[in-house]
Amino acid sequence: MRLRVEFTTEPFDLDEAPAHAVVAREVVEAADLEAVDVGPFGNTAEGGADQVLTALTTLLRRTLDAGATRVSLQINVVAEGER
């Protein structure tokens, strides 16, 4: 199964990336994921279910430890042939 995850961490800071946002970027860029797109208001990544879920476990633990007060995420199953 292939999954696509979209997530944001809060609180936002428009002047400088907060520590939790930097950590989130580091986690998804280091994970074995594809189609990684990191932006100021949302992030996406795709991969196999095991890779995505493992990355999300790490992401949740590390961003909360780094000061995130809210993590919003959405996970979608990617249909075969869809990208």
Side-chain angles (χ1 to χ4, degrees):
M1 178 184 314
R2 185 169 181 79
L3 301 176
R4 178 181 300 125
V5 61
E6 301 174 43
F7 67 91
T8 58
T9 61
E10 297 178 41
F12 295 116
D13 183 339
L14 298 178
D15 295 325
E16 183 178 336
H20 58 81
V22 173
V23 166
R25 179 175 43 239
E26 290 171 353
V27 170
V28 295
E29 288 178 345
D32 186 22
L33 301 176
E34 303 164 22
V36 174
D37 184 17
V38 177
F41 299 108
N43 310 281
T44 60
E46 289 184 21
D50 288 340
Q51 290 80 13
V52 169
L53 296 173
T54 297
L56 284 177
T57 298
T58 302
L59 182 134
L60 290 170
R61 290 182 189 279
R62 291 198 50 210
T63 56
L64 292 170
D65 285 346
T69 57
R70 179 183 198 145
V71 180
S72 302
L73 63 93
Q74 178 174 308
I75 301 172
N76 294 301
V77 174
V78 177
E80 194 171 317
E82 179 186 339
R83 293 273 271 164

